Amino acid sequence: MVSSMSVRNLFVSYHGNEALHDISFTIGQGKLVGIIGPNGAGKSTLLKALLELIPRDKGDIQIFGKPIKEVRKKIAYIPQRSDMDWTFPITVLDTVLLGTYPGLGVFRRPKKKHREWSYHCLEKVGMEKYSERQIGELSGGQQQRVFLARALVQEAELFCLDEPFVGIDVTSEETIIKILKELRDAGKTVFVVHHDLSKASTYFNELILLNKELIDVGPVERVFRPEIMMKAYEAQLPFLNANEVIV
Ligand code: ADP
Ligand code: MG
């Protein structure tokens, strides 16, 4: 089977400051993958570089065995909430409908079937009652669920979410992780940037452990061990005993 993501010798810098150094990994399809590491480790940078939302200095990236420009329609991306503009006046349903636009073609307005499909995806995340609300009026967890609905509308093969669980309520978090696991079970690939270690071992199959360099990548049972996790986190947790990393 073709891998979902294959990265060779990726280097990324901002104004001459290196953020990612020589990252290489391959991830199969049908995986729920956590990109983990301390604050400033380059997690968001990695996700953006993989999707060519920011330029790279060097490196080769293939998604489903192809350059990203050939598979862009198969990819849904949900940025970090703090990166989004919440003052933009748009309703919940219209936000979700935006996800159908790649399938619409230029100059074509959404049809009834697009509206119905969007509404159905809002039902999946439990947000249909809010369809006419302004997106800026929702709580963080509700906004995150709406953005997941927009990603579902796209019927993507690869889902990329940046810190979806930060600052959200328990119901929203449970709804989102349940849907991400369903997507994985349906053979989709899901990348989630995540910095909270307490859930990492129950949420993900595979981990990409990062701290500017790739510390480790592989099945969660192998990577989520104190001696490996410490390599990424020790600078931030200098007094922590290695056995206490896993909570
Ligand atoms: P993480 O998501 O793991 O917290 P980031 O990928 O956001 O880390 O950042 C990695 C490093 O790159 C940090 O040192 C950060 O300050 C820097 N960085 C991120 N975005 C920019 C930017 N737009 N311009 C300059 N430096 C940036
Ligand atoms: Mg980040």
Side-chain angles (χ1 to χ4, degrees):
M1 190 196 275
V2 176
S3 61
S4 65
M5 179 76 71
S6 173
V7 180
R8 288 284 154 262
N9 309 112
L10 174 67
F11 291 75
V12 179
S13 57
Y14 294 104
H15 319 293
N17 295 320
E18 202 171 58
L20 293 176
H21 180 86
D22 201 7
I23 308 284
S24 299
F25 61 84
T26 298
I27 300 281
Q29 296 188 31
K31 305 282 186 197
L32 180 43
V33 185
I35 300 176
I36 58 173
N39 223 341
K43 304 182 295 295
S44 297
T45 300
L46 177 63
L47 206 53
K48 289 177 194 169
L50 295 178
L51 303 181
E52 293 191 349
L53 300 169
I54 56 170
R56 57 184 178 267
D57 300 334
K58 263 200 294 193
D60 181 52
I61 299 168
Q62 294 215 322
I63 301 182
F64 301 122
K66 297 188 169 141
I68 183 165
K69 60 179 186 297
E70 293 177 28
V71 291
R72 206 170 274 287
K73 281 184 185 167
K74 293 184 178 177
I75 302 168
Y77 170 60
I78 306 183
Q80 222 164 331
R81 251 166 26 85
S82 54
D83 280 358
M84 292 193 249
D85 174 12
W86 297 106
T87 57
F88 191 74
I90 183 167
T91 67
V92 164
L93 186 61
D94 283 343
T95 303
V96 178
L97 262 172
L98 283 174
T100 65
Y101 279 25
L104 281 177
V106 194
F107 306 127
R108 285 177 50 203
R109 292 175 59 80
K111 292 203 175 91
K112 192 167 167 234
K113 66 172 185 188
H114 294 112
R115 290 190 170 276
E116 284 172 357
W117 172 233
S118 298
Y119 193 81
H120 173 73
C121 291
L122 270 179
E123 284 177 331
K124 282 203 84 164
V125 301
M127 284 298 294
E128 72 282 4
K129 290 197 194 79
Y130 298 83
S131 64
E132 295 310 317
R133 285 274 188 97
Q134 294 290 309
I135 187 89
E137 294 171 5
L138 304 180
S139 74
Q142 291 171 332
Q143 288 173 341
Q144 202 61 250
R145 282 194 268 160
V146 170
F147 276 87
L148 180 57
R150 186 173 76 168
L152 294 174
V153 153
Q154 261 180 270
E155 299 188 280
E157 291 297 320
L158 174 67
F159 293 77
C160 299
L161 296 83
D162 196 342
E163 303 268 14
F165 307 121
V166 167
I168 73 171
D169 57 288
V170 175
T171 311
S172 294
E173 177 155 353
E174 284 173 353
T175 306
I176 291 169
I177 194 67
K178 178 170 160 278
I179 291 172
L180 297 182
K181 286 181 173 175
E182 283 171 9
L183 289 169
R184 175 212 45 208
D185 293 344
K188 317 287 186 195
T189 306
V190 185
F191 281 78
V192 180
V193 169
H194 188 71
H195 78 268
D196 171 18
L197 293 184
S198 66
K199 303 278 179 55
S201 63
T202 50
Y203 281 4
F204 306 115
N205 308 114
E206 307 253 333
L207 294 179
I208 295 171
L209 178 61
L210 203 64
N211 197 358
K212 188 167 152 182
E213 298 182 10
L214 185 73
I215 309 293
D216 204 356
V217 56
V220 67
E221 310 82 57
R222 210 199 61 205
V223 177
F224 201 71
R225 286 185 301 165
E227 61 272 29
I228 294 175
M229 299 303 292
M230 280 299 281
K231 289 187 198 163
Y233 283 86
E234 63 191 343
Q236 295 199 338
L237 305 170
F239 307 112
L240 196 68
N241 183 303
N243 297 320
E244 290 170 351
V245 171
I246 295 176
V247 284

